[in-house]
Every structure is written in structure tokens, then in C-alpha cells.
Amino acid sequence: MLTSRTFLKRTRAGAVVKVVREHYLREDIPCGAAACRLCPPRPAGPGLGLEAQPSGAASSLCPGPHYLLPDTNLLLHQIDILEDPVIKNVIVLQTVLQEVRNRSAPVYKRIRDVIGNPEKHFYSFTNEHHRETYIEQEQGETSNDRNDRAIRVAAKWYNEHLKKIQDEDKIQVIFLTNDRTNKEKALEEGITAYTCEEYIKSLIANPDLVDRLACVSDEGKEIESGKIIFPEHIPLSKLQQGIKSGIYLQGTYRASRDNYLEATVWVHGDAEENKEIIIQGLKHLNRAVHEDIVAVELLARDEWVAPSSVVLQDDGQNEDDIENEEEKENILKTAVNKDMLRPTGKVVGIIKRNWRPFCGMLSKSQIKEARRHLFTPADRRIPRIRIETRQADTLEGQRIVVAIDGWPRNSRYPNGHFVKNLGSAGDKDTETEVLLLEHDVPHQPFSQGVLSFLPKMPWTITEQDMKYREDLRHLYVCSVDPPGCTDIDDALHCREVENGNIEVGVHIADVSHFIRPGNALDEESAKRGTTVYLCEKRIDMVPELLSSNLCSLRSNVDRYMYMIHTFILTRNSRCLYVDFNRFPSHRLAFSCIWEMNHKAEILKTRFTKSIINSKASLTYAEAQMRIDSATMNDDITTSLRGLNKLAKILKKKRIDNGALTLSSPEVRFHMDSETHDPIDLQTKELKETNSMVEEFMLLANVSVAQKIYDEFPEFALLRKHPAPPPSNYDILVKAAKTKNLEIKTDSAKALAESLDKAESPTFPYLNTLLRILTTRCMMQAVYFCSGMDNDFHHYGLASPIYTHFTSPIRRYADIIVHRLLAVAIGADSTYPELTDKHKLADMCKNLNYRHKMAQYAQRASVAFHTQLFFKSKGVVNEDAYILFVRKNAVVVLIPKYGLEGTVFFEEKGKPTPRLDYNNEVPSLTVEDTTLRVFDKVKVNIMLDASNIQHQKIRMVLVEPKV
């Protein structure tokens, strides 16, 4: 059956056109009930449909067998309830799915996952194309009212349809809605309808599920005082008009970690003026939460403030103590230099909430048997959340997840609900789960849908695979990586050719051969964006079959099987190693091959898909030992020596061009083999071979960047590193001045030369400290689409163009670059998304976000394992250097552990010493002792576990004594 709708539409040019939209209606769409013989069989697809005899939780309201049918708002707000294993046999209408998709992409993704879970028996019913459930919008009826009516029509049809099934137990459809009007209309039409709260409270065996109910209405949930604390938010329509006319500014709200009464709004758009607006005070923050998109009104210039240097943590229990908040706000308003004043504003409305589930701990109420408690998030930038729970005794001391439901004007804190319990605070697995969730790292196991696109094992190279490939198995290719590395992306070779020149090849795992555009494996890899390396585990971007087997360029491992290195103890306890060289390793690669002269000048460059046979998988130390050995002269060692010689020349050229050599302390943990607790903590030692590999990876990335840009000037995925604004260098210049050194920052080359000259015979570690400090001045490198930007320069590498090509196992950006390069050399075909610059720009945005979150997660993992290390050490005394000076503290670096920490001079319960801060030097005088940047000091290091949620490494100054 065909129905159509006709309407008139005016074009941009002013012409009026007639538009006819056809809508096909069918009679063969199944209801999804397994017991139904009236409908045609359900087509194959995600999930198993509705059970013939609905299982799930027993309800006192609906004792008989029943299916649930929620409306749009219920699905949007109560997704945590619907995801619970207890809730089964739910009909999700097409009308509801479409509305959810338009209103919340994260909830839409979650409900699609639930529909695809066969254990949940959720069924998606296409009511908008069923002849008996489709309805037209009536004259004067809003789209929302029409959709509500469509949902009720579908619920009524289901009940009438299921009555026709010849079965002893009649199955009923229960309509769930929190909309009072919708529920009343449903009851009038003879549909059994309940609110979500009514239904969940009726579940006999699952009283704890009530805690997961979202507080969608603030009626009855407000604090008893009823006092209005916050100004009203301006409606979205008025905000948009105000932003258009320039009255308001739109930006991203970033809360402060150190001061809960201060935030910064980063204004969207290209205007240089008022790019960063300070917000101070509870009323001006006006219920905005970190990462919300907000509208801000600028205050008059005489109300502008300076960024506060005061540390304020919200650790009070009294929700109604607003007077105390006002006292704290007065602390912020100290006299400041007029030059330090910044544009200041107030939040007048919320454009888009970016709430997510938050990890943290319950701060149990002091009132006996209270149901209302405060939840303290692990992230200090998130406000405390008021929740109601009957499980407070059970949840105390546990890491839990909570979601925000709303924030009324008369509540000091937002309202929320309990989502799930992660486990005991301090437990290693629990804390790892927390840091992954808090940094939004996708870490769930790969779904069957994703795994189904992996090659079937045993896998072999076919003639078709060889069609566009060069056979390079005769070359002496080897890889050089950190110890224990299994996801080996890259391998190298170097040999002299007949004309006396040198051929150098970088061979990169051909991951794009296995991950084809647009399938579930590709989409999952794109979403994850990067592999995340924690101290004890790795969260792969691609399944292990690819990352550690088929794509990994390991040597001496047969491609059909995983081989085990066997060690045999002889009678005299000597260890014999069983060699597996007889198992050749054939791997698909993407090769970048140069012909160079002995001055490392590139004469020719070519790119080819290839097949290689890695002759050795070496660690940096093993490769260095071969290069330094006087007795080893085999082909692999000769190749390594050639590579190392050329790498030194390449590095000198880069540095001469202005590339920066910066420093950042990296640590390595040595783990106990049984408990997996850290037993030693050392800074990583870098060898010549680290630099050797790095130089050729950089060269390959630059060569590939130029090639894909030449072929695709509008669609190349590149990476740039913006030059820092001059103000970023203030702290570096001032710090160097204290040691009578001049650091020039007008260009990368000038900076690099200044750093090279900044030596002190009596203080050899000074240069390393300066390079560490310089790293802190840098901007973040980002991916971008060449057609959407005109500044390609990579400041740190002093390169006019750059990309990522060399790590496709662990970075999705490299997979896209491989696809572009393959099309450029005619080894593969293109596809629409690859040449859509807007889609590439969106992809770059996600990749930049994932890369940043992965870095933060890795740092959090190092911090947690550092705490575990010092937990068993008691008090440790070590040398340290001052990196930064604050108003009431100094930040120090301990070279032995690569550890950074803050030494505070104000402690609770102790008299505050006299502090004199000099911003120009910079220095801090504590009583009569002056501390300057780069001063050598001694500190005691210990674990402060007084706050179980925010355990930290505490440092106390020992020398000089203050």
C-alpha cells in the first residue's frame, strides 16, 4: 500500500516547488512474538525477538506474562533501567527509535546494542510502515503529539493482535510512560499504562533496581529549604538570538581542578578577542558542568577578575550552607595587578549538556537510615551529586557509577541516580576500570559482529594478495622494539646497491589489507582511534588476531600457529634455548624505500605494497649490542650499522633545520611475577637505537605526507604541531634567567640553539630540566584534513608537512593514510568517505580526542602504580629539583623515579609559615629560606591515604630546612 504527502516548498532562489513524499505501508511486518503464528517469520537480524513465554522479573502490578512498550522520553531518561539484565521482552517502536536518534546519539547507540543482545529479547517494530499502526499527522497537531498518538496506537494494536494468539496465558502489552497526559489518554483508550517508577517499584524480587531510576521530575526532590540559589537559565531560542546578535558568547565550559568556584569558558569561533572567559562564584557558574556547551554574558570591565591561585576543594557535607560558599568566594577577590585581569562573565544558559556516567564514591549521610546521600566524583571538576539509595551501607567504600538527571535552581547540587557498583576502592582491577571509564576509553571485548570480519584461520597469502605486491622476502629485514612488544608495526632494512648508493626500507604492517572500509571491524577501530597502553595491560584498537599475530612483523613465528619459546634446564642448570628459525614468517607490509647516498641525501623514493620475511625481532638493547660488538658481522648487524650511521646524519640535519630535542621523564615499573605489584620504579634509559628507529619513522612519515598531499590536496590526513603563543614561554625564560642563561623563543631554530647552548659545567642536569620545562610550553599536536586548513607546519619537527604512517596496528589515523597511499600508487580503490573532507575532519576530531584521552589514561595508570610502589616503602628520602614555584608550594622533580610532585607549606592543624612569593624571579621565601626554580633540594616521599578516593604521593621538604 502506498500513501503520499504533498507540500509546497520555497527554494533559496525564491521559486516555489511542489514536493511529493511517498510512504510505503506493508502488511507483512512481523510483531516479533515467538508464539505468533499470524505474522510471517521474523527476518534474520540482531537479537532473538520476544519470548513466547516472557521471562524476567515478577511484578505485583502485572502478575501475568507481559511485554513492555516504552515511549521516547522514558527510553531517553531510563536507559540505565532498560539495560539491566532483569528487564527483558521490550518492544521498541520505530517512532521511538527515530526520536531517540535525533535527540541523543549516545542513548541511541546504547539501545541499539541492547536490541542486538539475544539475552535481552528486545524487538524493534517498524510501526511507521505497518498498515495498521501508521497514522497521519492531523491538522493543528504537533509532531510530538502525533508521535505520542502513534505510540498509543501501536500499543493498542499489539494488545488486540496478541489476543488472537491461541494460548492459555494471554500476553499483555504494558505501556510505560512518565508523561502524565500521555498516560491518562492511554488509560482512556483501554491501554494498561504505568510510570517507570510504578512498574519498577512493583518488581517483587528486585528492590535495588529502584536506586537506578532517573529523577526526571524535580517535584518533591528539591531540598527542604526551597531557597532559590541560582538564576534561571534563559530558554534556548532566546540564547540563539542573543548569540547571533553578539549579546551572549557560546563556548565550552571547563571547570577548574583546583578551585570548585572557578571555571573557564573557551569561546567558539575565530575571533581572537575574549577567547577565554573566566567565571567565578557559585551564582555565575549557574549549574554548568565540565564540558557543557554554554552561553555566557560578559560582565562590565570593572567586574573583571584575575585567575585565582587559591586551592579550594568542595568537601563540605552541608548542602544548605550557602553563607559558607559566599565566604569562600570573598577569598577569591583579593587585590590583584590590573594587568592580570581577564575577561570575566557569567553563565546565562545551557546550549548542550555533555553529562556522562561518573565514577566516584558515596559520601554517606550522617543521618541514621537516610536515603539521600552525596556522591563525590573521582574527577574533581565534576560537582558532587545528590542521589537516593537504600544500599548506602553496602556501597560505602566502593567505587560506584552515578548519572546526573537534573539540577533544579534551589538545589546546591545536581540530582542523580545510582548506575552500578564497580568494586572496592583501592583494588587494582577496580581502579583500572575507573580510569578507563573516566577517560572514556572504549575497552569492552570486541563483539561477535566485529570479530566476524577477521580472516578465517588458518590464513594464507593468496595469488590475489600478491597481485599488487612486491616480493621482498630476500631482504634482511629486522624490527627493533621495546622488550615484550608483541604488536610490532615496523621493520627496517639497509643494504648497499650496485651503483654504490644505499637502499633503505621502512616496512609497515599492512593492517588496511585486513580492515576494509565501512565494515563493523573498521567502524570499531575508528571509534577506538588508538591503542591505550597502561602499566599492566594494553587496550587494543584492533582484535588480538591482527595486533599480535597476522599484522605483527615478528620474526621466527609461523603464520599458521602461535609458537612457544621453550627453555630446558640441563643438569648444570644452564638454560638451552630451542630455536624456531625453521618456521619462516611471511607478512604483508606497506614499504617506503629510498635510495640514498652516503650523506643520507634522498635520491629516489618509492612506495609499494610488499611481502616480507623478518629475519630478527630485536629489543633496543639487543640491537645496540650488535652494533657495538666487534665480533658480529652478519647481514642483520651490518644492516643495523648502516641504519645507525645514516640516522645520525638525518638527526643532525633535522636539528640544524630547527627541530627541537625535548625531554620528558618516562618511568618503567618492574612487577612482582606473582602479585603483579610494582617492586621497582626506574626512569627509562634511551639508547642510540631508540633514536635510529625514530629517525627513519619520521622520514617515512614526512615522505608519505608529501605523497598523499600531492595526490589528494583536499583530502590528505595530516598532522600538525602549532607554534606556541609567546606567553607560553614566560616561565621558561624567567627560569633560565635565574641561572644567567638566555632562551630565545622567536623561532623553533632559535629555541633549539638556545637550549643547546644552555649548559652549566657545575650543574649537568640543568639542560635536561630546561628541556622538560620547554616540553610544558608546547601546544598539542593534532590531526587535520588538508582541505580544511592551510597551516601544515609541524613546529617541534621543523617540518613543513607531516603525517602518521608507521603505526597502523595502534593508530587509526595511519590506516586512513595507508588507504590514501594505496590509492595514490594504484594498489587499491577509493571509496566515498575517503574523499569527503567534512567526514575526514569529523574523524580527525574523534582521533584527536581519543589520543588525548589515551595520554591522560596512561598518566593516571602511572600515578596509580606509583602509589602502589610507595605504599610498601614507607618514607623514602630522595634528591629533587624545583620545576615550578607557586604562591604556597613548589613543584619538584625526582630524577631517580621520573616523579613529579608538589611540596605544600600550609598544613591543616599547623601554624602557617610566613610566605613571600615573587612572580618575576620566580621564587618563594618560606620564613627566611628562599626557594628558586632549578634549586636542588631533598624531600621525603610517602603515600597519603587519608582520602581513599584521592590517594596521593605526599612530599615534604627536608633540605633546606624551613
Side-chain angles (χ1 to χ4, degrees):
M1 182 180 169
L2 178 68
T3 180
S4 62
R5 194 157 61 94
T6 306
F7 59 94
L8 300 176
K9 181 183 174 184
R10 189 179 293 277
T11 66
R12 284 183 181 178
V16 176
V17 293
K18 184 179 178 181
V19 179
V20 179
R21 287 212 175 130
E22 295 180 337
H23 192 89
Y24 289 87
L25 300 178
R26 297 168 55 174
E27 297 179 346
D28 60 348
I29 297 171
C31 68
C36 182
R37 300 290 175 264
L38 305 171
C39 295
R42 196 175 71 83
L48 296 175
L50 306 164
E51 289 178 295
Q53 286 299 314
S55 63
S59 165
S60 58
L61 280 176
C62 323
H66 59 272
Y67 301 140
L68 301 175
L69 193 153
D71 71 358
T72 306
N73 283 326
L74 191 134
L75 200 150
L76 279 167
H77 297 297
Q78 305 292 354
I79 185 67
D80 291 322
I81 289 282
L82 294 172
E83 284 178 327
D84 194 277
V86 166
I87 306 299
K88 297 182 179 181
N89 293 290
V90 175
I91 301 160
V92 184
L93 298 178
Q94 180 189 3
T95 307
V96 171
L97 266 183
Q98 285 174 343
E99 280 198 282
V100 169
R101 186 177 192 173
N102 292 334
R103 289 168 62 181
S104 174
V107 175
Y108 179 74
K109 165 80 170 64
R110 288 168 72 181
I111 195 63
R112 293 300 318 184
D113 289 345
V114 174
I115 292 168
N117 181 353
E119 294 175 6
K120 292 281 286 173
H121 297 281
F122 275 49
Y123 179 64
S124 175
F125 178 62
T126 319
N127 65 306
E128 295 289 355
H129 287 278
H130 195 289
R131 189 171 63 83
E132 295 184 49
T133 57
Y134 173 74
I135 61 164
E136 293 277 3
Q137 187 170 347
E138 295 174 351
Q139 196 167 2
E141 187 177 41
T142 66
S143 296
N144 193 48
D145 288 344
R146 181 262 170 205
N147 288 343
D148 284 347
R149 186 162 60 88
I151 295 167
R152 294 196 304 273
V153 166
K156 193 168 185 177
W157 175 83
Y158 254 104
N159 272 320
E160 290 170 358
H161 179 75
L162 294 175
K163 282 177 187 174
K164 298 173 188 174
I165 299 172
Q166 300 298 316
D167 203 344
E168 291 177 17
D169 295 320
K170 295 297 180 191
I171 299 172
Q172 193 179 12
V173 170
I174 307 297
F175 178 42
L176 294 182
T177 178
N178 285 336
D179 185 320
R180 192 182 304 160
T181 309
N182 205 8
K183 183 188 171 189
E184 286 170 1
K185 286 182 180 179
L187 293 171
E188 285 170 14
E189 293 166 17
I191 302 165
T192 306
Y194 298 109
T195 65
C196 191
E197 188 171 354
E198 286 170 342
Y199 180 77
I200 295 302
K201 284 183 175 178
S202 79
L203 300 182
I204 299 161
N206 303 90
D208 292 345
L209 203 55
V210 175
D211 288 351
R212 300 185 68 179
L213 279 168
C215 172
V216 287
S217 169
D218 292 317
E219 292 177 47
K221 297 278 185 179
E222 294 162 357
I223 55 176
E224 281 73 6
S225 69
K227 181 184 175 184
I228 299 297
I229 302 169
F230 298 101
E232 194 170 353
H233 284 150
I234 295 169
L236 187 59
S237 56
K238 288 187 178 178
L239 287 179
Q240 288 167 336
Q241 289 171 11
I243 290 165
K244 206 170 183 179
S245 63
I247 299 170
Y248 308 129
L249 298 169
Q250 177 178 320
T252 303
Y253 178 91
R254 303 268 166 82
S256 166
R257 283 183 195 277
D258 301 319
N259 186 344
Y260 75 100
L261 292 174
E262 183 171 281
T264 304
V265 172
W266 291 85
V267 178
H268 302 167
D270 300 324
E272 289 299 317
E273 194 183 13
N274 300 334
K275 194 75 181 165
E276 192 179 326
I277 297 171
I278 291 173
I279 316 288
Q280 266 189 15
L282 204 60
K283 289 184 174 64
H284 286 172
L285 297 175
N286 198 6
R287 296 170 286 159
V289 177
H290 183 65
E291 292 293 344
D292 282 352
I293 309 296
V294 300
V296 174
E297 183 181 350
L298 268 179
L299 299 177
R301 278 186 173 267
D302 59 357
E303 293 183 73
W304 285 12
V305 298
S308 171
S309 57
V310 179
V311 176
L312 284 178
Q313 302 295 344
D314 181 13
D315 49 14
Q317 270 285 1
N318 190 345
E319 300 176 38
D320 305 327
D321 195 359
I322 303 304
E323 289 177 13
N324 184 36
E325 305 290 359
E326 289 169 359
E327 283 176 29
K328 288 184 178 179
E329 284 178 26
N330 289 332
I331 297 171
L332 305 179
K333 296 170 184 174
T334 52
V336 290
N337 188 325
K338 281 189 177 180
D339 294 337
M340 295 174 72
L341 298 176
R342 297 286 180 269
T344 307
K346 61 181 180 181
V347 174
V348 293
I350 309 294
I351 293 163
K352 186 189 174 191
R353 288 289 193 191
N354 272 324
W355 294 343
R356 59 177 175 82
F358 300 105
C359 300
M361 294 183 72
L362 195 71
S363 301
K364 195 179 165 190
S365 172
Q366 306 295 329
I367 303 166
K368 197 177 179 183
E369 294 183 10
R371 286 187 180 180
R372 183 184 294 160
H373 307 272
L374 282 177
F375 163 83
T376 305
D379 187 342
R380 291 189 185 275
R381 295 170 298 185
I382 306 301
R384 304 171 98 193
I385 302 164
R386 187 151 41 84
I387 68 168
E388 287 193 15
T389 178
R390 296 157 179 76
Q391 307 174 64
D393 291 337
T394 309
L395 298 178
E396 198 173 14
Q398 301 286 297
R399 289 283 200 176
I400 64 173
V401 178
V402 161
I404 297 178
D405 300 324
W407 197 340
R409 291 175 62 199
N410 57 352
S411 174
R412 170 64 185 84
Y413 298 110
N415 294 326
H417 66 273
F418 167 73
V419 176
K420 64 177 173 180
N421 185 354
L422 297 174
S424 299
D427 175 76
K428 201 184 297 182
D429 290 339
T430 302
E431 296 301 331
T432 300
E433 178 74 6
V434 167
L435 75 86
L436 290 172
L437 288 169
E438 280 298 291
H439 295 99
D440 195 17
V441 175
H443 60 286
Q444 67 281 2
F446 290 99
S447 69
Q448 283 306 311
V450 169
L451 298 175
S452 67
F453 285 96
L454 290 172
K456 301 294 179 279
M457 297 298 283
W459 174 82
T460 184
I461 297 167
T462 64
E463 284 185 25
Q464 186 63 30
D465 294 334
M466 291 300 298
K467 193 173 179 182
Y468 297 104
R469 287 185 192 278
E470 199 172 324
D471 192 340
L472 302 178
R473 284 176 285 189
H474 60 286
L475 295 176
Y476 282 88
V477 173
C478 71
S479 61
V480 184
D481 292 279
C485 182
T486 60
D487 54 341
I488 299 173
D489 287 290
D490 53 87
L492 299 151
H493 90 270
C494 176
R495 64 172 182 169
E496 195 166 300
V497 288
E498 289 177 1
N499 61 9
N501 290 329
I502 302 167
E503 180 188 270
V504 175
V506 166
H507 310 278
I508 306 300
D510 190 5
V511 182
S512 63
H513 175 84
F514 298 99
I515 301 179
R516 302 309 296 164
N519 66 26
L521 176 56
D522 182 47
E523 287 173 0
E524 182 65 22
S525 304
K527 185 185 89 172
R528 294 186 178 219
T530 181
T531 293
V532 182
Y533 295 90
L534 306 181
C535 292
E536 271 196 280
K537 67 190 293 187
R538 188 179 80 205
I539 313 297
D540 281 326
M541 181 185 80
V542 299
E544 192 179 15
L545 180 65
L546 297 182
S547 66
S548 296
N549 187 8
L550 294 182
C551 293
S552 183
L553 305 182
R554 294 183 296 166
S555 65
N556 308 329
V557 182
D558 186 76
R559 68 174 178 272
Y560 301 114
M561 56 189 2
Y562 290 97
M563 299 309 303
I564 301 169
H565 291 258
T566 308
F567 292 86
I568 305 167
L569 286 176
T570 59
R571 284 181 186 173
N572 60 1
S573 296
R574 290 186 63 196
C575 191
L576 300 180
Y577 177 60
V578 180
D579 195 342
F580 285 103
N581 279 333
R582 64 181 182 277
F583 297 109
S585 172
H586 302 253
R587 290 289 184 264
L588 302 182
F590 213 144
S591 301
C592 174
I593 300 170
W594 304 276
E595 187 178 324
M596 298 179 175
N597 60 25
H598 288 266
K599 294 178 183 176
E601 294 168 338
I602 298 170
L603 308 174
K604 288 180 191 172
T605 305
R606 68 187 181 92
F607 307 97
T608 179
K609 289 217 170 192
S610 60
I611 178 170
I612 64 166
N613 179 359
S614 178
K615 304 295 192 292
S617 296
L618 306 173
T619 64
Y620 291 116
E622 288 167 347
Q624 191 67 53
M625 185 188 71
R626 280 174 175 259
I627 290 168
D628 297 340
S629 171
T631 57
M632 296 186 78
N633 291 297
D634 58 278
D635 291 312
I636 289 292
T637 305
T638 304
S639 175
L640 287 169
R641 286 179 184 139
L643 289 166
N644 197 39
K645 184 180 176 184
L646 291 169
K648 288 176 181 177
I649 301 170
L650 289 169
K651 185 172 184 177
K652 185 179 183 304
K653 282 183 184 178
R654 273 197 316 107
I655 290 169
D656 289 346
N657 286 336
L660 297 173
T661 306
L662 302 181
S663 184
S664 181
E666 287 187 71
V667 297
R668 180 182 296 282
F669 292 93
H670 295 274
M671 303 291 184
D672 185 288
S673 57
E674 290 182 11
T675 65
H676 297 286
D677 285 338
I679 52 174
D680 196 11
L681 175 61
Q682 297 174 339
T683 51
K684 290 182 183 177
E685 183 190 348
L686 298 181
K687 300 183 180 294
E688 264 186 15
T689 44
N690 290 77
S691 178
M692 176 190 81
V693 173
E694 182 187 18
E695 285 307 315
F696 286 106
M697 296 306 115
L698 293 175
L699 188 62
N701 287 335
V702 170
S703 298
V704 170
Q706 193 62 58
K707 177 68 176 177
I708 62 172
Y709 177 65
D710 290 344
E711 290 289 331
F712 305 104
E714 290 290 303
F715 317 118
L717 192 155
L718 303 175
R719 187 164 175 83
K720 68 173 181 176
H721 182 211
S727 59
N728 279 28
Y729 289 121
D730 287 351
I731 183 71
L732 174 68
V733 172
K734 285 178 182 177
K737 210 171 181 180
T738 63
K739 298 296 178 185
N740 299 316
L741 296 170
E742 185 185 7
I743 300 291
K744 294 180 179 176
T745 60
D746 41 335
S747 70
K749 187 172 174 61
L751 176 61
E753 288 172 352
S754 298
L755 289 171
D756 287 342
K757 292 174 185 172
E759 298 281 356
S760 170
T762 57
F763 188 3
Y765 197 66
L766 175 63
N767 192 262
T768 303
L769 289 169
L770 283 166
R771 291 181 192 276
I772 289 170
L773 212 53
T774 307
T775 306
R776 309 297 166 86
C777 302
M778 293 295 125
M779 304 290 282
Q780 185 77 38
V782 291
Y783 297 109
F784 68 101
C785 173
S786 59
M788 305 290 280
D789 208 328
N790 50 21
D791 176 20
F792 294 6
H793 191 73
H794 196 293
Y795 180 81
L797 297 174
S799 176
I801 195 166
Y802 191 68
T803 193
H804 273 162
F805 162 76
T806 53
S807 294
I809 292 177
R810 61 185 179 89
R811 290 190 305 235
Y812 188 76
D814 302 54
I815 292 177
I816 296 297
V817 169
H818 276 228
R819 288 174 182 169
L820 288 164
L821 185 60
V823 175
I825 64 171
D828 206 344
S829 53
T830 187
Y831 58 99
E833 286 79 6
L834 195 64
T835 53
D836 184 329
K837 62 183 181 182
H838 296 287
K839 287 190 175 174
L840 271 173
D842 287 342
M843 184 187 293
C844 289
K845 193 176 178 182
N846 178 60
L847 293 175
N848 291 328
Y849 170 72
R850 293 294 179 202
H851 183 74
K852 181 176 72 176
M853 288 296 110
Q855 283 185 319
Y856 291 163
Q858 284 156 213
R859 288 173 196 166
S861 180
V862 169
F864 175 64
H865 280 78
T866 303
Q867 289 168 16
L868 289 179
F869 173 72
F870 283 104
K871 191 176 183 178
S872 59
K873 294 287 176 185
V875 178
V876 178
N877 183 274
E878 286 295 343
D879 288 338
Y881 293 97
I882 296 174
L883 268 185
F884 302 101
V885 174
R886 305 285 186 230
K887 280 190 176 181
N888 61 344
V890 292
V891 178
V892 299
L893 174 75
I894 297 156
K896 181 178 176 180
Y897 298 125
L899 181 65
E900 205 175 296
T902 305
V903 178
F904 288 98
F905 297 104
E906 294 172 335
E907 287 187 60
K908 280 184 181 178
K910 290 188 178 180
T912 303
R914 189 177 71 257
L915 301 174
D916 183 17
Y917 174 70
N918 185 334
N919 185 44
E920 289 304 311
V921 175
S923 68
L924 177 68
T925 302
V926 186
E927 296 293 346
D928 298 318
T929 305
T930 301
L931 302 169
R932 298 178 181 84
V933 175
F934 301 149
D935 280 0
K936 189 175 182 179
V937 296
K938 266 195 183 296
V939 295
N940 279 342
I941 315 162
M942 65 211 82
L943 178 68
D944 179 359
S946 57
N947 182 335
I948 191 167
Q949 165 133 287
H950 295 116
Q951 292 190 37
K952 59 188 177 185
I953 299 298
R954 184 165 170 260
M955 295 188 185
V956 178
L957 193 68
V958 178
E959 289 179 21
K961 197 165 181 64
V962 295

